Amino acid sequence: MKQKVPIYMKAINVINPGSHSTLKMQEVPTPEPAAGELLVKIEATALNRADLLQRQGKYPSPEGTSNILGLEMAGIVERTGRNVERWKPGDFVFALLPGGGYAEFCTIPEQMAIPLPETLSFEEAAAIPETFFTAYQALSWIGELKQGETVLIHAAGSGVGTSAVQLAHHLFNARIAATAGKKRKLAKAAKLGADWTYNYREVDFAEQMKQQLGENAVDLVIDVVGGPYWQQNLDLLATDGRLVLLAVLGGHKLKKASMLPILTKRLSVRGSTLRSRSLDYKIRLTREFHDRCLKLFENESLA
């Protein structure tokens, strides 16, 4: 006999967000699925930089969403709200969340759920949405990468970096340059599809790229470093090139920089965060990612 959903569930909450925060397992009310929503029993979630920032009090959850950590999950549909047509209890799904992954249950709009491929475990699927969705929107929606173009991906050993390398390779047949600070990360990037790799601790990646690829050879830069790479990024970009900033881990202030390349080469500089996007945006991104990428996980092209 199937157990009833408990009125209260266990969740990991942040106590005293900031430099002296702690995590505590607590009992909180189990969410109820509204019309068009699924109640999912979470089997696995993932840790992201955003969770660490939220714990420090620097990245609060969007208004009206769960304050519980966890931006992605994989699990089993436990119950459906009214008017749900695509799913039934017992279905295996994974999804992007605005928060709430560090708990026993969560609710999601049915359009946000993606069927779990048989080739993936719950743990593997739970690690997909935040990094792969971020990388996909940066390459396709924001960066407008075209088939065969050249893309420079910084921090290629990170979650978003490894996702971006794979997507650029499999979806766009791009020429891929990648930077990282450790040999093993560069080796991984090369295995995933990078054509050129550069250890920023050992070489001036911009000068190396100019020698190997030529002047103004990059069509798109995906950057999470920010300030320290600003001028090098602009110098490397070709006419009508695009720079997509996803974070500024190296700092957001510029000491010495020239904006002239933006004018002379008609460059576009675009910034983005995913968590603050509207639900409609996330649904459209989820559906497109499902249509274009799920088969690549099913045949194990993406990992």
Side-chain angles (χ1 to χ4, degrees), residues 48 130-136 138-139 153-167 222 224 246:
N48 288 280
E130 179 66 18
T131 59
F132 272 96
F133 284 22
T134 298
Y136 181 84
L139 292 167
I153 299 170
H154 291 301
S158 67
V160 172
T162 55
S163 301
V165 169
Q166 293 181 79
L167 293 174
I222 305 297
V224 298
L246 299 177

Side-chain angles (χ1 to χ4, degrees), residues 170-183:
H170 288 286
L171 294 182
F172 300 95
N173 192 30
R175 303 198 317 161
I176 304 166
T179 68
K182 294 183 179 179
K183 291 181 179 179

Side-chain angles (χ1 to χ4, degrees), residues 139 145-154 156 164-179 189-190 192-198 208-222 236-238 242:
L139 292 167
L145 185 63
K146 301 176 182 63
Q147 291 292 319
E149 285 191 324
T150 299
V151 57
L152 168 59
I153 299 170
H154 291 301
V165 169
Q166 293 181 79
L167 293 174
H169 176 65
H170 288 286
L171 294 182
F172 300 95
N173 192 30
R175 303 198 317 161
I176 304 166
T179 68
L192 294 176
D195 300 286
W196 303 276
T197 61
Y198 305 93
Q208 290 282 313
M209 287 183 65
K210 289 176 184 178
Q211 292 177 22
Q212 294 179 315
L213 282 71
E215 298 280 344
N216 307 317
V218 177
D219 300 293
L220 173 65
V221 176
I222 305 297
L236 287 167
L237 281 167
R242 291 85 66 199

Side-chain angles (χ1 to χ4, degrees), residues 180-202:
K182 294 183 179 179
K183 291 181 179 179
R184 62 176 175 80
K185 292 184 177 181
L186 294 173
K188 181 69 171 180
K191 184 178 180 180
L192 294 176
D195 300 286
W196 303 276
T197 61
Y198 305 93
N199 189 326
Y200 67 83
R201 299 180 189 276
E202 299 177 354

Side-chain angles (χ1 to χ4, degrees), residues 60-114:
S61 57
E63 185 176 355
T65 64
S66 174
N67 290 322
I68 299 170
L69 301 176
L71 302 183
E72 52 197 338
M73 68 84 205
I76 305 170
V77 176
E78 185 76 21
R79 184 187 296 167
T80 61
R82 291 181 292 106
N83 303 324
V84 170
E85 300 177 351
R86 307 183 186 188
W87 307 98
K88 64 183 184 304
D91 286 341
F92 288 14
V93 298
F94 66 102
L96 181 74
L97 303 173
Y102 290 15
E104 290 186 282
F105 296 91
C106 70
T107 55
I108 58 172
E110 67 167 326
Q111 303 99 316
M112 290 293 294
I114 301 175

